[in-house]
Amino acid sequence: MNRLLGKRALVTAAGQGIGRASALAMAREGAEVWATDVDEAALPSLLAEWEAESGTARATGTDGSVTLALQPDKGRIVARRLDVLDPEAVRAAARELPAPQVLFNCAGHVHHGTILDCDEEAWDFSVRLNMTAMYRMYRAFLPGMIANGGGSIVNMASVASTVIAAPNRFVYGATKAGVIGLTKAVAADFVGQGIRCNAICPGTVESPSLEQRMRRGGDYDAARAAFIGRQPMNRLGRPEEIAALVLYLASDESSYTTGTEHVIDGGWSNL
Ligand code: NAD
């Protein structure tokens, strides 16, 4: 309890999957979490889940405004739309929101295919969402974090990157490798200013977009069996298991850790 008390955390792609599990995990540890996503429709259910779990009271005004009762020793979640592909929206968020002590750059996209399946449009989209958006978030939020006296940045990479090659993950693996490079470069430049910056490299994790990918091919059971078949633990990871690593890196427990990639893949890349 309270491993993040007094800290403000900004999470991108918090509407579902690993981002959502991480937002909840950080709130449980006392953080004020700014949960953002391009998909506004996903955010009310996150708030509702947190309210139900934490017992936070909600008051709706006659004008439709919503107020959440604050309890000093509890975390809270504030939901806000943020499209990390939109440079002006990111700059506006940095102007409007108080500077965070924790930034979790989680938004990303999995393109399926080899280089021959990846036309310029697909390449460009993955580069923009998986890498350029992260560059943009740094440029917008890093100055405030430095002015705050430092903080922890966690970047979503993948084990499909510099760690291992996975078939049909051409532009995904290339961009997630880029995330690791970006992480190390920023960690080196700002270590003297109290900024820690780490990348996480999950293996295959149950999430809504993974479900979609497994259904897309037409044979869901075969696709699921293939994903599980490459796992030494004979199961997929759970978002909550990845959120536990995010929490560790966000908190001061990891205060001697920066500039590195943290593999969390059920042994896939090593066993
Ligand atoms: P997901 O793919 O199911 O959900 C992604 C979320 O990102 C959605 O809520 C979506 O609305 C949001 N999003 C998409 N575009 C956005 C944008 N422009 N701005 C803001 N939000 C946007 O969730 P997931 O599978 O947990 O993936 C989250 C991250 O974890 C991704 O970066 C992914 O590459 C990475 N990852 C996932 C796995 C896995 O197996 N699930 C493994 C390794 C890494």
Side-chain angles (χ1 to χ4, degrees), residues 13 16 18 37-38 82-84 106 108 156 172 176 203 205 207 209:
Q16 63 184 41
I18 298 167
D37 201 292
V38 68
L82 179 61
D83 178 359
V84 294
C106 183
M156 178 56 84
Y172 184 72
K176 294 297 190 181
V205 180
S207 74
S209 68

Side-chain angles (χ1 to χ4, degrees), residues 87-100:
E88 183 42 42
V90 171
R91 282 194 292 270
R95 279 194 305 271
E96 290 160 20
L97 306 184

Side-chain angles (χ1 to χ4, degrees), residues 89-225:
V90 171
R91 282 194 292 270
R95 279 194 305 271
E96 290 160 20
L97 306 184
Q101 287 82 19
V102 174
L103 173 60
F104 178 28
N105 287 310
C106 183
H109 169 73
V110 181
H111 175 267
H112 178 91
T114 71
I115 190 169
L116 299 180
D117 305 310
C118 184
D119 60 19
E120 296 232 0
E121 198 182 333
W123 167 266
D124 186 53
F125 181 75
S126 286
V127 169
R128 285 194 302 121
L129 184 50
N130 295 356
M131 288 187 68
T132 310
M134 223 173 259
Y135 149 85
R136 180 173 297 134
M137 289 293 290
Y138 273 113
R139 298 260 306 166
F141 287 94
L142 191 53
M145 292 180 76
I146 293 169
N148 253 354
S152 173
I153 300 172
V154 182
N155 291 326
M156 178 56 84
S158 167
V159 76
S161 56
T162 54
V163 183
I164 56 168
N168 289 311
R169 289 290 178 270
F170 161 65
V171 67
Y172 184 72
T175 51
K176 294 297 190 181
V179 168
I180 293 173
L182 196 151
T183 301
K184 288 177 187 285
V186 174
D189 285 338
F190 296 96
V191 64
Q193 285 153 282
I195 298 292
R196 295 187 299 109
C197 188
N198 290 283
I200 61 170
C201 300
T204 311
V205 180
E206 305 267 12
S207 74
S209 68
L210 178 70
E211 278 290 307
Q212 274 175 7
R213 286 195 293 284
M214 291 192 292
R215 291 190 191 288
R216 202 170 292 143
D219 189 342
Y220 176 81
D221 290 340
R224 191 173 182 84

